[in-house]
């Protein structure tokens, strides 16, 4: 199995600038870079260093989004903006749009947000189809205590994909979120394999002693680690619960052709440029066992 390995851009590496980042990433064997925006400068920097663009953050569609505003006029303006971005991205050769759909009001329940989504997204998906782009939904549940993000659980994914059955509207498969929620991450690939448009290389360790302390709730007085709520913590691949060998077999079976892109969220590899570099390198080394 020969699959590209990519990376999202952590903050210290990103602060070096796209040209410096691309040069370093290429030197350590990264193939693909996910970017917050895509323009001629970014495209040139990647191509000069033999890299490809991976996912591109949807304009105003990562985190609290006006696409899920309770104000109809605000929603329509957000749709116009992202549809214009789609056209620009397509003209530059981009293909995958990353979205994490947190309602503008994080106290909004998911059922209400889904009703708004049903009105908003058919137009967006039609634009993606027109431009030959592929939307990839991120499964981060969103902030505690409401966890309002759409597209996090099989229940919601099933409802969304039944509502808009399009190859151009799919899933960013990230097993780390599924593990922390107690969802069978391999079964998700079995049920929703046809919907996978992108894949993140990130893991989760379950902290069993802390699971006794907090259960599945967020710790009342603060978690012990960054990228944690108490009874779990995000890690680089190979230091959590995910069996990447089994993930690789299932991605191959469903015919997924895209990269596995490292999303660095691990307290051990955070806080400095050197720590981030070490985290990316170690994550790539582990993924390369199964994907190279």
């Amino acid at each position: 199995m020969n699959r590209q390995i990519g990376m999202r851009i952590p903050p210290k590496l990103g602060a070096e600038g796209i040209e410096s980042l691309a040069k370093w990433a290429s030197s350590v064997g990264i193939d693909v870079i996910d970017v917050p925006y895509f323009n001629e400068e970014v495209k040139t920097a990647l191509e000069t260093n033999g890299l490809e663009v991976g996912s591109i953050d949807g304009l105003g569609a990562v985190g609290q989004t006006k696409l899920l505003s309770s104000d109809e006029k605000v929603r329509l303006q957000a749709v116009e903006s992202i549809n214009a971005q789609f056209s620009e991205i397509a003209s530059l050769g981009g293909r995958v749009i990353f979205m994490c759909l947190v309602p503008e009001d994080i106290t909004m329940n998911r059922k209400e947000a889904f009703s708004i989504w049903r009105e908003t997204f058919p137009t967006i998906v039609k634009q993606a189809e027109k431009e030959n782009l592929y939307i990839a939904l991120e499964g981060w549940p969103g902030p505690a205590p409401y966890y309002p993000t759409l597209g996090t659980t099989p229940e919601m994914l099933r409802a969304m994909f039944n509502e808009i059955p399009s190859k151009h509207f799919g899933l960013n498969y990230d097993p780390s979120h599924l593990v922390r929620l107690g969802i069978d991450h391999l079964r998700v690939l079995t049920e929703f394999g046809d919907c996978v448009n992108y894949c993140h290389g990130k893991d989760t360790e379950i902290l069993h002693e802390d699971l006794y302390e907090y259960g599945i709730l967020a710790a009342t007085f603060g978690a012990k680690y960054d990228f944690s709520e108490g009874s779990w913590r995000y890690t680089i691949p190979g230091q959590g619960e995910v069996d990447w060998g089994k993930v690789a077999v299932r991605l191959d079976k469903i015919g997924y052709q895209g990269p596995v892109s490292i999303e660095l969220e691990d307290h051990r590899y955070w806080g400095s440029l050197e720590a981030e570099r070490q985290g990316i390198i170690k994550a790539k080394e582990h993924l390369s066992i199964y994907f190279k």
Side-chain angles (χ1 to χ4, degrees):
M1 183 183 299
N2 187 9
R3 192 175 305 285
Q4 292 177 312
I5 294 177
M7 59 174 279
R8 282 183 71 80
I9 304 174
K12 301 296 184 182
L13 276 164
E16 297 287 290
I18 188 62
E19 291 186 9
S20 177
L21 167 71
K23 184 177 180 180
W24 176 82
S26 180
S27 74
V28 298
I30 295 293
D31 307 300
V32 173
I33 303 291
D34 301 340
V35 295
Y37 58 88
F38 194 45
N39 56 24
E40 289 287 359
E41 178 188 2
V42 173
K43 181 178 180 179
T44 298
L46 297 183
E47 290 180 348
T48 299
N49 289 280
L51 300 171
E52 297 179 17
V53 67
S55 70
I56 301 155
D57 290 358
L59 182 64
V62 179
Q64 288 175 257
T65 174
K66 290 180 170 56
L67 293 169
L68 297 178
S69 171
S70 58
D71 187 319
E72 183 178 6
K73 290 183 179 179
V74 171
R75 292 199 303 270
L76 290 175
Q77 290 175 351
V79 170
E80 289 179 4
S81 295
I82 200 166
N83 283 347
Q85 184 203 23
F86 280 10
S87 297
E88 181 180 1
I89 288 172
S91 71
L92 292 169
R95 281 292 170 263
V96 179
I97 307 297
F98 177 86
M99 292 188 180
C100 184
L101 300 177
V102 182
E104 184 179 41
D105 175 5
I106 62 170
T107 67
M108 179 183 291
N109 66 62
R110 290 188 298 276
K111 187 174 181 180
E112 182 180 353
F114 176 74
S115 296
I116 293 173
W117 172 87
R118 291 176 67 182
E119 298 178 7
T120 304
F121 262 74
T123 299
I124 293 172
V125 176
K126 285 180 181 177
Q127 182 72 5
E129 292 171 341
K130 176 184 175 183
E131 301 291 358
N132 197 29
L133 300 176
Y134 293 84
I135 296 169
L137 290 183
E138 164 73 348
W140 175 59
Y146 300 103
Y147 305 113
T149 308
L150 295 185
T152 297
T153 64
E155 174 199 38
M156 182 59 75
L157 289 170
R158 197 177 300 117
M160 296 173 87
F161 295 145
N162 285 340
E163 189 72 26
I164 305 181
S166 171
K167 290 282 189 181
H168 295 265
F169 176 70
L171 172 66
N172 176 69
Y173 177 71
D174 184 335
S176 69
H177 304 304
L178 300 168
V179 169
R180 64 169 272 200
L181 292 172
I183 296 169
D184 186 332
H185 62 284
L186 297 176
R187 183 175 172 181
V188 165
L189 279 178
T190 300
E191 179 174 357
F192 299 104
D194 289 345
C195 302
V196 173
N197 284 340
Y198 210 68
C199 179
H200 275 176
K202 194 174 76 178
D203 214 326
T204 293
E205 178 187 5
I206 300 300
L207 306 170
H208 292 282
E209 287 297 318
D210 293 318
L211 187 60
Y212 172 77
E213 288 292 318
Y214 317 122
I216 61 172
L217 302 179
T220 305
F221 304 108
K224 296 176 181 176
Y225 306 103
D226 294 331
F227 307 110
S228 170
E229 287 183 353
S231 61
W232 55 268
R233 71 176 187 92
Y234 290 142
T235 75
I236 61 172
Q239 298 188 10
E241 313 298 321
V242 177
D243 186 328
W244 289 95
K246 291 181 179 179
V247 170
V249 168
R250 284 158 178 78
L251 287 176
D252 189 53
K253 183 177 180 181
I254 66 177
Y256 175 69
Q257 299 297 313
V260 177
S261 191
I262 299 160
E263 183 178 29
L264 184 64
E265 293 183 346
D266 187 321
H267 84 281
R268 295 183 63 198
Y269 306 103
W270 201 254
S272 71
L273 179 62
E274 185 54 34
E276 289 182 0
R277 286 176 170 172
Q278 288 181 7
I280 295 293
I281 290 169
K282 287 183 178 294
K284 179 188 175 295
E285 288 174 348
H286 186 78
L287 292 173
S288 293
I289 296 171
Y290 307 104
F291 296 105
K292 285 290 188 180

